[in-house]
Amino acid sequence: MRYVFYVNPIAGKGNTQNGIIDSIKGYFSERAENFKIHITRSAGDARDSAKREAETGDKIRMFACGGEGTVFEVLNGIVGHENVDLGVIPCGSANDFLKFFGSKKSFLDISDQVDGESVGMDLIKADDRYCLNGCSVGMDAVVARDMSIFKNWPLVSGSLAYTLAIVKTFLGKLGITADISVDGEKPQRKNCLFAVIANAPYYGGGYKGAPDAVPYDNKLNYTLVNNISKPKILKFLNLYKKGEHKTLDFCTLKGCTSMEFSSEKPIPVNLDGEIIETNHMRFELVKNAVKFIVPKSIANKLLTNV
């Protein structure tokens, strides 16, 4: 078994990386295991290196030490390689996927991670990219794009950055018009604030947009929020953050295996925090597509539900 750690030096303002690197070196200093620390240098570096490592065929436990962007890159470098297990050591401003498991404390413990259990997790295939947590179009994607402006401000947490981005977005024109199809049904023209396709409950710095999502239940969760007046949005966002929007008459939530949208003009699309613009994309479930490392201290509790 080899261990490879991809450390993004600028994730989460760079406040925890030195401590993580020291913990990794300290843990392996008394052990004979083969390990490597790769400090990422630029966009795409972690993806390309992870792919090269995976293609060796060695049995590898690979850890993304950063935020959603680092996880996205490492994941897209290893998809399809059964010899690699994926772990996450949170250094980002949000690390929303890990909120499904509760406290991130166990994910910061190198020993707990190295001794963790590998659990098959579903993925979202978004055209030719893969996502572990969730994707969205509309206001959500605009907010995710603008969140990057604020998350580098001093003393601004991931949640606060998301809130500030909402305020900025709120001051402009809201909503999109798109033809949306779920599970291959006939596309319907929707005038909506946003649409979400999720593998886990949280995104955007702690918003519980898909409260019923479970990342290993072999289904995805679809959330659609119809366009509403700006005064109603403020109250709605408070409920949405807590996952209490399921009964609202302008919200649709259901399980699915695919979602597809088309729009006349390119619109922002959020792929696990990575933003692109396109006028068409298909999202589909890929069952048990990655072996995800769950720290030993919480694995037994989780595995009883798998």
Side-chain angles (χ1 to χ4, degrees):
M1 176 74 74
R2 292 200 292 121
Y3 301 88
V4 180
F5 297 84
Y6 288 97
V7 179
N8 181 346
I10 62 173
K13 303 188 180 75
N15 292 329
T16 61
Q17 284 83 333
N18 287 338
I20 291 295
I21 291 172
D22 289 344
S23 295
I24 294 168
K25 291 180 177 178
Y27 176 85
F28 285 100
S29 65
E30 300 177 357
R31 292 165 177 80
E33 287 97 341
N34 184 326
F35 82 101
K36 177 190 297 185
I37 297 174
H38 181 110
I39 309 297
T40 62
R41 299 183 295 270
S42 59
D45 181 31
R47 180 198 61 226
D48 296 343
S49 176
K51 183 178 180 180
R52 289 193 297 270
E53 293 283 1
E55 289 175 344
T56 65
D58 296 345
K59 182 65 177 174
I60 305 173
R61 287 203 143 184
M62 201 173 287
F63 294 90
C65 309
E68 274 81 7
T70 312
V71 178
F72 181 80
E73 286 208 8
V74 175
L75 172 67
N76 279 273
I78 68 171
V79 167
H81 295 278
E82 296 185 359
N83 54 308
V84 181
D85 298 352
L86 173 66
V88 176
I89 297 175
C91 301
S93 56
N95 293 105
D96 285 309
F97 181 73
L98 301 187
K99 291 181 174 67
F100 172 80
F101 303 94
S103 170
K104 67 179 184 181
K105 181 179 178 181
S106 297
F107 288 89
L108 289 166
D109 186 318
I110 304 303
S111 176
D112 212 355
Q113 286 270 37
V114 170
D115 294 334
E117 297 286 344
S118 295
V119 179
M121 295 284 170
D122 303 325
L123 294 177
I124 304 169
K125 187 173 187 288
D127 284 352
D128 60 350
R129 301 171 176 87
Y130 293 86
C131 300
L132 181 62
N133 194 48
C135 309
S136 62
V137 296
M139 175 182 167
D140 267 20
V142 174
V143 170
R145 179 192 66 194
D146 292 345
M147 180 182 174
S148 62
I149 299 172
F150 300 106
K151 69 181 182 180
N152 292 320
W153 286 15
L155 304 179
V156 174
S157 66
S159 180
L160 179 56
Y162 195 79
T163 300
L164 291 172
I166 287 174
V167 173
K168 179 179 181 295
T169 305
F170 187 78
L171 296 175
K173 183 180 178 181
L174 301 178
I176 60 167
T177 299
D179 295 323
I180 297 177
S181 172
V182 178
D183 284 343
E185 296 176 351
K186 182 179 178 180
Q188 296 185 10
R189 178 66 54 92
K190 298 290 186 181
N191 179 20
C192 60
L193 278 181
F194 54 81
V196 178
I197 190 80
N199 191 40
Y202 297 93
Y203 72 122
Y207 280 75
K208 200 173 184 179
D212 296 328
V214 176
Y216 46 79
D217 64 355
N218 294 164
K219 70 176 181 181
L220 302 176
N221 288 70
Y222 169 69
T223 299
L224 178 78
V225 180
N226 293 330
N227 220 339
I228 54 177
S229 66
K230 286 186 177 181
K232 289 183 72 172
I233 290 174
L234 296 175
K235 181 178 180 180
F236 159 69
L237 288 175
N238 183 50
L239 297 173
Y240 189 69
K241 186 175 181 67
K242 296 182 288 187
E244 296 176 356
H245 54 291
K246 294 168 64 174
T247 60
L248 299 176
D249 59 6
F250 54 86
C251 295
T252 300
L253 289 84
K254 61 181 179 180
C256 67
T257 59
S258 69
M259 188 268 272
E260 189 169 0
F261 84 89
S262 298
S263 60
E264 292 182 359
K265 297 179 180 180
I267 56 177
V269 182
N270 165 34
L271 307 176
D272 272 359
E274 301 298 301
I275 307 300
I276 66 168
E277 292 203 5
T278 182
N279 61 358
H280 175 266
M281 184 164 282
R282 175 176 171 80
F283 308 92
E284 57 186 304
L285 169 71
V286 187
K287 297 179 181 179
N288 300 317
V290 66
K291 290 179 287 185
F292 185 81
I293 301 167
V294 179
K296 183 178 180 180
S297 63
I298 61 175
N300 290 338
K301 180 179 178 181
L302 176 70
L303 291 172
T304 61
N305 300 316
V306 177

